[in-house]
Amino acid sequence: MVMTIKKATWNDGPDLAFAINNRANAAIEKNGSSAVINAALGTLADDEGKLISLPSVYDRLDEMDRSRIASYAPIEGEKEYRRIVIDNLFGAYKPEGFISAIASPGGTGAIRSAIFSYLDRGDPLICHDYYWAPYRKICQEFERDFRTYKFFTDDYAFNIKALEEAICEGLRDADRIALLINSPANNPTGYSLSDDEWDKVIGILKEKAEDKSKKLTLIVDVAYLEFAGDGDEQRRFFKKFSLLPENLMVIVCFSMSKSHTAYGLRCGAAVGISQSEEIIKEFEASLSHSARCNWSNGTHVAQNILIDLEKEEYKKVYEKELEDLRAMLKRRADLFVLKARENKLTMIPYFGGFFTFIPTARAFEIAEELEKENIFTIPQAKGIRVAICGVSEKKIPQLVDRLAFYINEK
Ligand code: PLP
C-alpha cells in the first residue's frame, strides 16, 4: 500500500553521496583513517580527515548572546545580513540595477525558490549535463521540465552551441524558460566559465529577450565561489548582469555552507537583479511568501555570525583563515592535476572548487573496485567525482594512481 500521494511518492533510495560517505566512515572505524581515502562528500577536511570548522566563524557563535541565537530572524532575513550578502558576494563587480537578497536555508533554499517562482508547471529548466542532482529533484517535485545540454565539446571546452540550441528549443516549447549555471568551480567537474564564455551566454539570452512575449531567468549557483581562485577575478562576470532587459531576470544563489564551513547551519540567500524596481519588489514578495510557508525563517544565528564577521577585527581573521583553506585545497588540486598528467589520466579541466572529475562510462564498476581498496568516490553516469576537499595532499598520489589503474585498464 502507498500512503503518500502520487506526486510525492519517490523511490530514489538514500542519497548516493551520503550513503557512500557512511560506508567510508565505517571503513575508517574499522581500519583507521590512514588506511582510507574518503573522496565522497563535499565538505572540507583537514589532513587527518577531520571536518574543518573555521574558528573565526564558531568563536562568534560561542560568544553570541543567546537571545540572538534563539530568536526568530525576519522572514526575508536580517536587514544587515541581506546588505552584507550583496556587498560581499559582488565585491567590486556589483551589477548596475536593482538588487535584493532574500535569506534562505543554504543555497538549496535559494535554488528551490528561484525554480518555484520563475517557472510554471511544465516550463523548461535548462542545465548543463554534469549537474548537482538536487536541481533535477527540485524540478521533479514542482513538475518543472528539467532538460540538459552537452556541457562540453569533445575536447572539454564549454559547448556554447549546445546551450544555444537548448535555449532555442526551450523557447519554441514555452514562453518561460530558466537557465541554471553552476559556475565558478562547478560541482561535479571543477569547471569555471571564462569571462568570454559568460559574454556569449549573456549575448544569447539578451537576443532571445528581444521577443517580449518571452520571460527568461538566469539562475547562477555560486556555492563554490570562494574556492574558485585568488583575489576578485572570479567575481568579474557579475558585472555583466548590469541593466539587462526587463524580461531577463537574474538570480544568484549564495551559500554560507562552503565559504564559512557552515554546512549544517543552513544559511544562504537568493539575490535578484533587475533593471526594474517593480520586478525586484515582486521578487521579494514572492520569495518571502515561499519562505513563510516552507521554512518560515532562516537560521538567525548564522545570519548574525555573518553580521558579526563584518567587524574589522573579526573580518581580518576570517579572511586569513579562508585564504589558508583555499591554499590547502589548491595544493591538493595542483598535485592531483600533475599526477593525472603523469599517469595519463584524462580529467575535465579543473579551475577550482571541491571536486575533480574523471570521465568514464564504467564509473559504477570502477568505484566499486576502488571501494574494495578503501577508496571512496562518487560514481555518476558520466564519470567519477572525486572530492579532493576531503583528501590530504599526502594521499593524492595514491588516489590518482589507483584511479588511473582502473581507468586505463581497458
Ligand atoms: N550547489 C551546489 C552545486 C552544491 O554542491 C551545494 C552543496 O553541496 C549547494 C548548491 C548548496 O548547498 P547548501 O544548501 O548547503 O548551501
Side-chain angles (χ1 to χ4, degrees), residues 97-110:
F98 293 92
I99 301 179
S100 181
I102 299 293
S104 61
T108 310

Side-chain angles (χ1 to χ4, degrees), residues 172-239:
R172 262 202 305 275
D173 299 342
D175 287 334
R176 262 181 197 279
I177 62 160
L179 175 66
L180 197 163
I181 296 182
N182 172 214
S183 177
N186 173 269
N187 172 8
T189 62
Y191 192 82
S192 297
L193 267 69
S194 67
D195 287 350
D196 187 42
E197 287 163 345
W198 270 114
D199 280 335
K200 289 184 179 137
V201 172
I202 304 288
I204 295 168
L205 290 173
K206 271 166 105 167
E207 187 198 313
K208 299 299 169 195
E210 281 170 17
D211 178 348
K212 298 299 168 203
S213 69
K214 302 291 184 187
K215 292 190 166 111
L216 295 91
T217 303
L218 170 63
I219 302 169
V220 190
D221 178 0
V222 295
Y224 297 90
L225 178 72
E226 299 300 351
F227 298 92
D230 295 325
D232 251 4
E233 261 171 50
Q234 72 271 30
R235 289 179 158 79
R236 240 184 352 226
F237 74 101
F238 286 137
K239 196 75 184 169

Side-chain angles (χ1 to χ4, degrees), residues 53-329:
S53 52
L54 290 182
S56 60
V57 170
Y58 292 95
D59 285 353
R60 303 289 73 69
L61 190 151
D62 291 343
E63 289 164 11
M64 201 177 293
D65 185 288
R66 286 189 181 171
S67 66
R68 292 180 73 217
I69 301 175
S71 51
Y72 285 125
I75 304 284
E76 68 283 4
E78 279 289 346
K79 198 167 165 219
E80 261 307 89
Y81 170 78
R82 297 169 62 205
R83 182 191 65 76
I84 293 165
V85 165
I86 294 172
D87 284 355
N88 291 357
L89 178 63
F90 298 129
Y93 300 99
K94 188 170 166 186
E96 286 166 60
F98 293 92
I99 301 179
S100 181
I102 299 293
S104 61
T108 310
I111 295 160
R112 171 252 171 245
S113 288
I115 292 174
F116 180 78
S117 290
Y118 288 85
L119 290 175
D120 221 325
R121 210 174 264 182
D123 285 340
L125 179 104
I126 298 164
C127 185
H128 26 69
D129 62 353
Y130 292 78
Y131 60 86
W132 189 52
Y135 302 151
R136 190 191 67 245
K137 293 188 179 193
I138 294 168
C139 286
Q140 287 170 334
E141 175 122 344
F142 297 138
E143 298 177 350
R144 283 22 174 185
D145 184 5
F146 184 77
R147 300 181 180 187
T148 58
Y149 62 93
K150 261 187 97 186
F151 198 176
F152 303 112
T153 58
D154 290 343
D155 50 358
Y156 295 108
F158 180 57
N159 198 337
I160 191 77
K161 195 161 160 278
L163 170 65
E164 184 164 20
E165 279 166 18
I167 291 175
C168 288
E169 211 168 286
L171 288 170
R172 262 202 305 275
D173 299 342
D175 287 334
R176 262 181 197 279
I177 62 160
L179 175 66
L180 197 163
I181 296 182
N182 172 214
S183 177
N186 173 269
N187 172 8
T189 62
Y191 192 82
S192 297
L193 267 69
S194 67
D195 287 350
D196 187 42
E197 287 163 345
W198 270 114
D199 280 335
K200 289 184 179 137
V201 172
I202 304 288
I204 295 168
L205 290 173
K206 271 166 105 167
E207 187 198 313
K208 299 299 169 195
E210 281 170 17
D211 178 348
K212 298 299 168 203
S213 69
K214 302 291 184 187
K215 292 190 166 111
L216 295 91
T217 303
L218 170 63
I219 302 169
V220 190
D221 178 0
V222 295
Y224 297 90
L225 178 72
E226 299 300 351
F227 298 92
D230 295 325
D232 251 4
E233 261 171 50
Q234 72 271 30
R235 289 179 158 79
R236 240 184 352 226
F237 74 101
F238 286 137
K239 196 75 184 169
K240 303 178 192 296
F241 302 153
S242 298
L243 304 175
L244 295 175
E246 280 196 10
N247 56 337
L248 173 50
M249 177 77 189
V250 178
I251 301 172
V252 181
C253 300
F254 162 81
S255 164
M256 280 178 68
S257 293
K258 326 284 167 181
S259 57
H260 292 76
T261 61
Y263 319 93
L265 285 181
R266 310 307 307 138
C267 196
V271 182
I273 307 162
S274 171
Q275 63 157 302
S276 154
E277 187 174 14
E278 197 187 331
I279 285 172
I280 285 301
K281 288 220 150 57
E282 177 190 82
F283 164 82
E284 291 174 337
S286 180
L287 271 75
S288 299
H289 188 279
S290 276
R292 187 63 177 124
C293 52
N294 281 279
W295 48 81
S296 194
N297 328 69
T299 310
H300 207 181
V301 61
Q303 294 178 23
N304 285 329
I305 286 173
L306 197 80
I307 293 169
D308 291 351
L309 280 176
E310 274 306 284
K311 292 184 186 132
E312 197 57 32
E313 69 269 33
Y314 301 140
K315 198 177 170 94
K316 278 204 193 106
V317 182
Y318 165 71
E319 281 173 354
K320 173 75 179 73
E321 287 177 358
L322 181 62
E323 204 180 299
D324 290 346
L325 282 194
R326 223 183 260 136
M328 180 190 76
L329 189 62

